[in-house]
């Protein structure tokens, strides 16, 4: 995959050829997609690549006094768990093990392979997003926001996304993967996710998901 000419990015490698292999015919295939943001540009170009709605939301979040911080180490991740649990329960999602969350951090910290960012308003965490790092590719995971901040239209996820793009670019990131969107959204929730992920200046890239029951 090449974004804007120049050196090809690392994701995906040979995916199209792989999924057309006859040996995979027994697998179920789901068409999926992602947006890939090129971080090899300067910060001004990165900002200008955002849609107007994203820039407007970021400026509002800054006016509202939101700040973005890093979750610090193992203790910080332990303190992050009540917020994470609250967000998962509020949307009816399964609450995964905090122990697994900490174990993953222990595994990846030696290679600087994981980070968790939070948006804070008046001393309270209102949004959170993690990233995995590998060879210049940044992939997001674990997006959370409190229903209270959504009701107040605090735009924590917008400021969080921008600051992560900006900071990961400065650390040498090459591409930011927004990790998944339905190319044919079938519900208001999926349409909202697709609209949100489309506004960060990324290139739309479809791919298949193979599964077998």
């Amino acid at each position: 995959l090449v974004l804007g000419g120049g050196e090809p990015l690392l994701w995906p490698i040979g995916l199209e050829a792989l999924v057309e292999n006859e040996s995979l015919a027994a697998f179920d295939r789901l068409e999926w997609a992602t947006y890939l943001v090129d971080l090899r540009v300067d910060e001004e170009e990165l900002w200008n690549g955002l849609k107007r709605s994203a820039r407007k939301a970021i400026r509002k979040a800054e006016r509202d006094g939101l700040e973005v911080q890093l979750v610090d180490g193992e203790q910080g991740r332990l303190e992050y768990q009540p917020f994470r649990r609250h967000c998962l329960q509020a949307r009816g999602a399964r609450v995964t093990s905090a122990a697994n969350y900490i174990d993953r951090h222990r595994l990846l910290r030696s290679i600087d392979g994981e980070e968790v960012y939070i948006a804070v308003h008046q001393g309270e965490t209102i949004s959170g997003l993690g990233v995995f790092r590998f060879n210049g590719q940044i992939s997001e995971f674990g997006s959370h926001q409190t229903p209270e901040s959504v009701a107040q239209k605090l735009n924590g996820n917008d400021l969080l996304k921008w600051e992560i793009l900006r900071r990961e670019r400065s650390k040498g990131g090459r591409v930011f993967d927004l990790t998944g969107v339905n190319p044919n959204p079938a519900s208001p929730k999926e349409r909202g996710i697709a609209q949100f992920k489309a506004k960060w200046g990324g290139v739309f890239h479809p791919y298949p998901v193979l599964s077998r029951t």
Side-chain angles (χ1 to χ4, degrees):
L1 177 67
V2 178
L3 298 182
E7 182 185 359
L9 296 173
L10 297 180
W11 189 100
I13 299 176
L15 185 60
E16 291 80 2
L18 173 64
V19 298
E20 297 302 333
N21 191 301
E22 291 182 1
S23 66
L24 300 179
F27 286 78
D28 296 324
R29 175 170 173 155
L30 172 67
E31 299 304 326
W32 209 245
T34 191
Y35 286 91
L36 301 176
V37 181
D38 192 349
L39 300 181
R40 299 171 298 174
V41 300
D42 62 33
E43 188 171 317
E44 182 179 3
E45 187 174 347
L46 188 65
W47 172 258
N48 290 336
L50 308 184
K51 288 189 175 181
R52 181 176 178 273
S53 59
R55 296 195 297 269
K56 182 178 179 181
I58 293 163
R59 292 188 180 108
K60 179 182 183 299
E62 291 173 337
R63 290 195 303 271
D64 288 340
L66 275 65
E67 298 179 351
V68 171
Q69 303 172 5
L70 284 173
V71 174
D72 186 25
E74 187 171 322
Q75 182 59 36
R77 282 160 175 76
L78 286 170
E79 295 169 357
Y80 181 73
Q81 297 309 307
F83 158 79
R84 173 175 164 269
R85 183 165 51 251
H86 172 62
C87 295
L88 288 169
Q89 290 174 338
R91 64 177 188 255
R94 182 172 65 93
V95 179
T96 53
S97 168
N100 289 344
Y101 201 92
I102 300 303
D103 286 344
R104 181 179 62 207
H105 169 65
R106 290 171 178 167
L107 178 66
L108 295 175
R109 64 186 172 188
S110 64
I111 58 171
D112 196 27
E114 178 236 42
E115 202 78 82
V116 178
Y117 292 84
I118 55 174
V120 177
H121 180 249
Q122 297 179 351
E124 296 292 329
T125 299
I126 64 168
S127 299
L129 184 65
V131 297
F132 294 126
R133 302 188 186 104
F134 179 73
N135 198 22
Q137 179 173 319
I138 316 301
S139 304
E140 68 181 27
F141 72 91
S143 177
H144 303 296
Q145 59 181 333
T146 64
E148 296 84 1
S149 69
V150 174
Q152 295 176 57
K153 299 182 180 179
L154 289 175
N155 295 344
N157 276 4
D158 293 273
L159 183 62
L160 198 57
K161 189 80 73 184
W162 166 244
E163 281 297 311
I164 291 174
L165 289 171
R166 189 179 68 82
R167 296 184 193 189
E168 292 297 325
R169 173 202 160 275
S170 71
K171 293 177 181 179
R174 301 172 61 225
V175 59
F176 190 91
D177 183 355
L178 278 85
T179 61
V181 61
N182 189 341
N184 301 295
S187 67
K189 178 181 178 180
E190 288 185 342
R191 286 191 288 273
I193 292 171
Q195 184 178 21
F196 182 80
K197 293 195 175 189
K199 66 183 183 181
W200 300 103
V203 174
F204 181 78
H205 189 80
Y207 63 90
V209 175
L210 302 177
S211 63
R212 191 171 185 177
T213 55

